[in-house]
Amino acid sequence: DLRVVDPREADFFIREAMKKTGLSPQAWPSELVAGLMGEAKERGVTPEEFVTISASPLQQKIAQVYAEYQALLRSRRAYDFADLILEATKLLEQDTALREQVQMSCRFLMVDEWQDSSLGQYALIRRLVGPQRDIMVAGSEDQSIYEWRQANYQALSEAFYGDFPDTYQMAFSVNFRSREPIIKAAAALFADQPERFQALSLHAMRAGGERVRDVRVLNDQMEAAFVVSEIRRLAKAGIPLAEMAVLFRTNEQAERIEEELMHHKIRYTLAGTPRLYHRREVRDVLAYLALALRDDDNAVNQIVNTPPRHIGPVSLRAIKGTLPYVTLKRLRAIASGREKAELRTAALDGVKQLVGLVDGLRGLARQLKPAALMDEVLERTGYRAWLLEELGGHRRLRSVREVQRQAAEETSLAAYLHKAFQEIAEDVGEPSTD
């Protein structure tokens, strides 16, 4: 039951810790305090150690916030990302039997991207290395990009060679991954610093390959449009869609590319996350839209307690009675008192609230276009506020906004829902080989 908090939730705990210790968020924004604590964790400094090295009154106050923040996390059995290294290091340091067991389980240790390791990470690495001292690190000082996250190549080197003075060094001049045009492009980028590139004397093992193309766009929409235009060009040239892949760096890019692919009706598979119309938050909003149009028992069962309105499993059984599922007809009868159900007051209020919501949305559905009605759904149901309180809520809300952008193209709610559910039905059918 341990969990890792995301940055937004971590910020909430930091602000709570600041309140408890009397550090004003107006004078010291929580982001700044988070940065100072993050730097300490990256260096492997615990709250107890932070107190001893804090000289000024302000540093002492931040040390108090740091200690209170950690206490709040632990009271909820939660960790932030930096804790995963700091706490693992402490555990291995304190538990000799565990440390020896871990060291025996993996004799050889290899660290990639060594130049971007922090001293806190090195402290963990050092405790993972067994008595045989079998460790290899791979990296290049020229490629360091995480100095802002306490990566310090010089300090790392001093610590490493101090601990492992008999290390053998070797440099690689052959690139095994990239083809020749890529290596030549890299050399061109270093044209004004020839001593750095020549010192590496890089050459490609793999000959041939297409020339590098440098494509520059103004924004994410143009980027997605370019990607899809390339897919269409290659498809027209006879290359099957199944032989194409789009690699992207962030989820935000994926969302924009996904929207463009759907706009051009290009079939695709999205790896690692559900496609847009299969995400829970999207299905919830579509369910409310469906109920704004007509009685839909599938939609009712989707959102009967979403956001939570005190209609839990016990209340649901009472509402169903002899029926296999919840129906809007049954909810209306209970809300009006025509039919009885053994419900707590809070659950009965939740039923009445849901029926009132549906009736209100039906009135709006006759006046508003789908995108505007979606706004009303998010506001009247409290779904937007509920999402933003949840872990990962901002990301989930982006999915809803993506669907809302597509809904803006439709003027009829019935037409939009037909199109949306058709998209879902096609997705759950037999996957295309192309």
Side-chain angles (χ1 to χ4, degrees):
D1 59 346
L2 301 179
R3 65 189 183 88
V4 180
V5 298
D6 69 0
R8 182 175 173 275
E9 192 174 4
D11 183 66
F12 170 78
F13 287 126
I14 289 169
R15 285 186 277 111
E16 287 297 302
M18 291 173 69
K19 283 181 194 173
K20 290 194 173 189
T21 55
L23 189 62
S24 167
Q26 284 74 35
W28 285 85
S30 60
E31 295 87 352
L32 185 57
V33 176
L36 293 170
M37 292 193 302
E39 287 176 13
K41 289 188 178 186
E42 289 287 354
R43 296 197 309 271
V45 177
T46 64
E48 297 76 20
E49 293 166 333
F50 197 89
V51 170
T52 63
I53 62 175
S54 298
S56 70
L58 178 60
Q59 287 176 318
Q60 288 288 328
K61 182 63 75 173
I62 290 175
Q64 293 173 23
V65 174
Y66 186 6
E68 184 63 40
Y69 168 67
Q70 292 298 98
L72 285 169
L73 286 177
R74 297 302 169 267
S75 69
R76 291 159 175 80
R77 297 182 66 75
Y79 293 80
D80 63 21
F81 290 109
D83 278 334
L84 298 181
I85 291 170
L86 183 65
E87 296 299 320
T89 304
K90 282 172 58 180
L91 187 61
L92 291 173
E93 190 176 84
Q94 295 164 1
D95 192 329
T96 304
L98 175 64
R99 183 172 68 249
E100 290 175 353
Q101 181 184 347
V102 171
Q103 290 174 348
M104 287 174 61
S105 70
C106 186
R107 175 177 167 183
F108 296 95
L109 191 69
M110 197 281 274
V111 183
D112 198 12
E113 305 293 1
W114 169 248
Q115 74 282 349
D116 285 325
S117 302
S118 67
L119 289 173
Q121 291 168 343
Y122 178 66
L124 175 61
I125 291 164
R126 184 67 188 86
R127 285 159 182 79
L128 293 174
V129 178
Q132 295 89 352
R133 299 164 65 80
D134 288 315
I135 180 172
M136 182 180 85
V137 300
S140 168
E141 181 179 8
D142 287 335
Q143 296 183 42
S144 179
I145 59 172
Y146 285 112
E147 290 182 10
W148 59 273
R149 208 175 62 189
Q150 305 306 304
N152 185 325
Y153 187 82
Q154 185 175 352
L156 273 175
S157 296
E158 289 175 3
F160 182 78
Y161 289 117
D163 290 330
F164 305 99
D166 54 347
T167 299
Y168 174 74
Q169 298 182 52
M170 61 187 299
F172 289 101
S173 59
V174 179
N175 185 295
F176 295 93
R177 174 188 291 170
S178 302
R179 293 189 181 273
E180 192 175 11
I182 302 247
I183 303 303
K184 286 183 175 178
L189 290 175
F190 278 89
D192 61 339
Q193 302 175 56
E195 68 287 348
R196 291 176 67 186
F197 198 80
Q198 286 168 8
L200 299 174
S201 303
L202 280 179
H203 60 276
M205 186 186 76
R206 304 170 71 197
E210 295 182 25
R211 293 181 64 185
V212 174
R213 293 171 64 195
D214 178 11
V215 178
R216 306 186 185 199
V217 293
L218 293 175
N219 53 43
D220 56 349
Q221 290 177 314
M222 289 182 67
E223 178 182 62
F226 167 75
V227 168
V228 173
S229 71
E230 282 295 286
I231 291 170
R232 298 176 75 189
R233 180 181 68 81
L234 293 170
K236 193 175 288 186
I239 297 176
L241 292 174
E243 292 182 15
M244 301 183 204
V246 180
L247 307 182
F248 52 86
R249 185 75 174 179
T250 67
N251 288 331
E252 288 82 356
Q253 286 174 294
E255 290 166 7
R256 183 68 67 237
I257 293 167
E258 192 177 7
E259 178 188 14
E260 193 72 13
L261 287 166
M262 286 192 288
H263 178 71
H264 288 281
K265 295 183 170 47
I266 297 174
R267 304 293 296 159
Y268 64 93
T269 298
L270 183 61
T273 187
R275 290 180 59 164
L276 183 63
Y277 278 91
H278 285 271
R279 294 172 195 166
R280 172 62 193 267
E281 57 273 18
V282 171
R283 298 291 289 267
D284 287 344
V285 173
L286 289 178
Y288 276 112
L289 292 180
L291 288 170
L293 189 66
R294 58 181 179 268
D295 283 13
D296 187 320
D297 293 335
N298 287 329
V300 168
N301 284 269
Q302 170 84 19
I303 52 82
V304 64
N305 197 41
T306 305
R309 46 179 68 93
H310 305 289
I311 307 176
V314 174
S315 298
L316 283 174
R317 284 196 292 273
I319 292 169
K320 290 175 187 175
T322 58
L323 298 172
Y325 46 79
V326 178
T327 67
L328 193 58
K329 181 179 178 181
R330 170 78 169 154
L331 288 173
R332 288 188 188 283
I334 292 171
S336 65
R338 295 196 310 275
E339 294 182 17
K340 299 296 182 185
E342 293 295 325
L343 295 176
R344 293 179 294 109
T345 302
L348 181 58
D349 289 343
V351 169
K352 292 177 180 178
Q353 179 194 41
L354 179 57
V355 170
L357 272 171
V358 171
D359 290 342
L361 291 174
R362 288 195 177 174
L364 290 172
R366 292 188 287 270
Q367 308 166 28
L368 301 177
K369 294 180 180 178
L373 182 61
M374 210 175 286
D375 259 333
E376 290 294 330
V377 165
L378 293 172
E379 193 61 38
R380 292 187 176 217
T381 63
Y383 198 89
R384 180 188 284 111
W386 175 66
L387 268 190
L388 293 176
E389 290 175 359
E390 292 292 297
L391 191 63
H394 282 280
R395 175 181 50 77
R396 294 174 64 194
L397 192 57
R398 280 203 305 271
S399 297
V400 175
R401 288 181 185 136
E402 192 64 49
V403 171
Q404 197 170 12
R405 273 196 289 269
Q406 295 179 23
E409 299 175 8
E410 301 289 337
T411 56
S412 160
L413 179 59
Y416 171 67
L417 287 174
H418 175 75
K419 188 175 177 180
F421 288 122
Q422 189 176 39
E423 181 76 31
I424 293 170
E426 288 175 2
D427 285 351
V428 297
E430 283 297 313
S432 168
T433 57
D434 200 26

